[in-house]
Amino acid sequence: MHSLKSLVVGLLLVLTPSVQAADFVGSLYIQSNDADQNEVFHYGRASDGRLMLIGKHPTGGKGSGTFKPLTGQDPGPNAFEAAGSVIRSSDRKWLFAANGGDNSVSAFRLGTDGHLTRTSHESTGETVTGRSGTAKSLAFSEKHGTLYVLHAFGPNHIRVFDFKDGKLSLRPQKRTVDTPTKVGRVPTQAVLTPDARFLMVDVLFDAHPAANPDGSPKLAVTNITDKDGLVVLPVQPDGSLGEPMFQDAGGAGPFFIQFLHGSTDTFLNGHAVSDGVSVGRIDLSGKVRHDPVVQIDASAGPPSELCWLVLSSDNRMVFATNFGFNNVSSYLLRDGKLSVAKDPACPPVPGDGKFRSVNNLVSSGPNDSWLSPDDKTFYQLYPNASVLVAYRVNPDASLTEIQRSPIPYTSPQGMTGY
């Protein structure tokens, strides 16, 4: 039955008419993360959600390729255990990409047709030791003209750039997410509150991963005992960062923060080890409180490594990517309360069989995702399967595959669009 279904899907994709440039209603961007020359791939996006690759733009920097610095795996998808390595400004004028391989960041001017013109490429100031650096998540404050760059490895986890007239200029300020008793913590994502009052950072591990005598991973997951997996840093009037506040992240292994559209205080947090999503709220002093985690079914083998989140424009549907299960789960959000809608929301997309996630299941390593502004099409990277999959979003929050686009093996990550 499975092979017949795959054959039918394949035939449908072959018979689907090709995308024409005249059909484009927007653009989508990912980074190749290539170790020799990182590039931003530019796809034209048709009204029916299908994609066509129309450009590759060198960042001037290097990615990590198939090498995963955090674990030393090669090949290993999601090289930086990160989210937000490719972002755009809310005014749709600028796009930024982190180059993890050489610890640098690139800025591009976004044309009215979606074309990219690189305007700046600068080092984050952090020395690369070994095969790759770990510059990862980005956050941009238009209010302050400031770009924040998060690194997986510290002690200088956060570096700050001024951004003016397309040019990046590194500031001397450095910030860490380490505590006095926990050195070597590993953050995943940095996000500004919508009012740009605070920079919020999820921390996944309290120490660099190691190996047990039997070869299994030895992981110091945050927020299990000590409730300090979320770091909140005040943003000063000049864009610099105040002293960090270490707080409860709401669940174990916090990975991805997504603010509700139109809200300055309410956000979702995806938890890789608690296997679910929580609703959190931040007040004007930076203090955070959380509702309990709403879990998916992780009986196939925890942890699910539920990490990336996408929220529909009406704040009704939430799509959560499960790195360990090769699929996506969906939630409904009503009156500030979450409930599981479809678990899973789509069939798993298998990889080449060479990569296993923390739960020891063979994984295609799905990572970054994006939802079209009309809420009709959901896009998901499956790097170990070498495909970018486009799905039609159904009213019940399930997903129906409509197209597969080839991407380089294992390395790509980061996704944004308009």
Side-chain angles (χ1 to χ4, degrees), residues 69-411:
L70 186 62
T71 59
Q73 292 169 293
D74 193 0
N78 188 26
F80 311 130
E81 301 283 350
S85 64
V86 179
I87 64 171
R88 67 168 178 82
S89 60
S90 61
D91 61 7
R92 224 175 75 187
K93 293 182 179 179
W94 304 101
L95 182 138
F96 303 96
N99 303 297
D102 61 6
N103 282 347
S104 66
V105 65
S106 305
F108 294 85
R109 179 178 287 109
L110 257 173
T112 55
D113 60 354
H115 183 77
L116 299 177
T117 302
R118 193 174 79 225
T119 61
S120 192
H121 167 242
E122 297 292 336
S123 169
T124 67
E126 296 304 305
T127 302
V128 175
T129 57
R131 290 178 59 181
S132 175
T134 61
K136 46 167 32 169
S137 183
L138 304 173
F140 178 58
S141 172
E142 294 174 44
K143 176 181 178 181
H144 300 96
T146 305
L147 182 74
Y148 305 93
V149 185
L150 183 69
H151 299 71
F153 295 167
N156 304 321
H157 292 100
I158 305 171
R159 298 305 306 266
V160 185
F161 287 87
D162 286 318
F163 182 70
K164 185 177 181 180
D165 299 328
K167 299 299 180 183
L168 292 161
S169 178
L170 183 66
R171 291 187 178 190
Q173 186 178 46
K174 305 169 184 178
R175 280 287 183 256
T176 186
V177 299
D178 288 343
T179 73
T181 59
K182 298 174 183 176
V183 178
R185 299 181 96 199
V186 179
T188 59
Q189 184 202 29
V191 174
L192 282 162
T193 55
D195 57 9
R197 293 175 63 94
F198 300 98
L199 184 74
M200 301 172 65
V201 180
D202 265 346
V203 181
L204 182 62
F205 299 125
D206 277 331
H208 292 188
N212 291 309
D214 63 358
S216 62
K218 182 179 181 181
L219 304 175
V221 176
T222 63
N223 224 79
I224 293 179
T225 303
D226 299 330
K227 304 301 182 182
D228 58 3
L230 177 63
V231 184
V232 178
L233 302 101
V235 178
Q236 308 299 331
D238 65 351
S240 62
L241 298 173
E243 293 299 318
M245 297 178 281
F246 298 91
Q247 303 191 54
D248 182 7
F255 195 99
F256 193 103
I257 296 169
Q258 169 69 58
F259 272 84
L260 270 60
H261 303 298
S263 175
T264 59
D265 65 347
T266 305
F267 62 94
L268 308 174
N269 208 344
H271 303 283
V273 178
S274 284
D275 306 317
V277 182
S278 64
V279 177
R281 295 165 186 84
I282 183 169
D283 67 19
L284 294 178
S285 68
K287 293 183 179 179
V288 177
R289 56 187 176 88
H290 307 271
D291 293 343
V293 173
V294 179
Q295 295 180 305
I296 62 168
D297 179 6
S299 59
S304 64
E305 294 187 73
L306 181 154
C307 294
W308 296 264
L309 302 178
V310 172
L311 178 64
S312 63
S313 61
D314 60 2
N315 294 325
R316 189 179 75 88
M317 291 186 289
V318 183
F319 296 96
T321 302
N322 301 308
F323 184 83
F325 291 165
N326 306 319
N327 61 21
V328 178
S329 300
S330 65
Y331 290 80
L332 294 178
L333 182 62
R334 292 192 180 98
D335 300 323
K337 300 296 182 181
L338 279 171
S339 61
V340 175
K342 296 293 179 181
D343 180 26
C346 62
V349 175
D352 66 355
K354 296 180 180 179
F355 175 76
R356 291 182 181 271
S357 53
V358 172
N359 59 19
N360 205 37
L361 296 177
V362 176
S363 173
S364 57
N367 52 39
D368 292 88
S369 58
W370 188 73
L371 182 64
S372 62
D374 60 9
D375 299 330
K376 292 181 179 180
T377 315
F378 174 81
Y379 301 92
Q380 178 66 62
L381 285 173
Y382 295 92
N384 190 254
S386 301
V387 292
L388 164 57
V389 179
Y391 296 93
R392 181 177 67 249
V393 177
N394 301 312
D396 63 355
S398 63
L399 300 170
T400 301
E401 183 175 326
I402 58 175
Q403 185 196 37
R404 293 191 178 196
S405 301
I407 58 174
Y409 174 64
T410 292
S411 61

Side-chain angles (χ1 to χ4, degrees), residues 53-69:
L53 180 63
I54 57 178
K56 297 181 179 180
H57 302 273
T59 65
K62 296 181 179 181
S64 70
T66 62
F67 176 66
K68 195 165 185 170

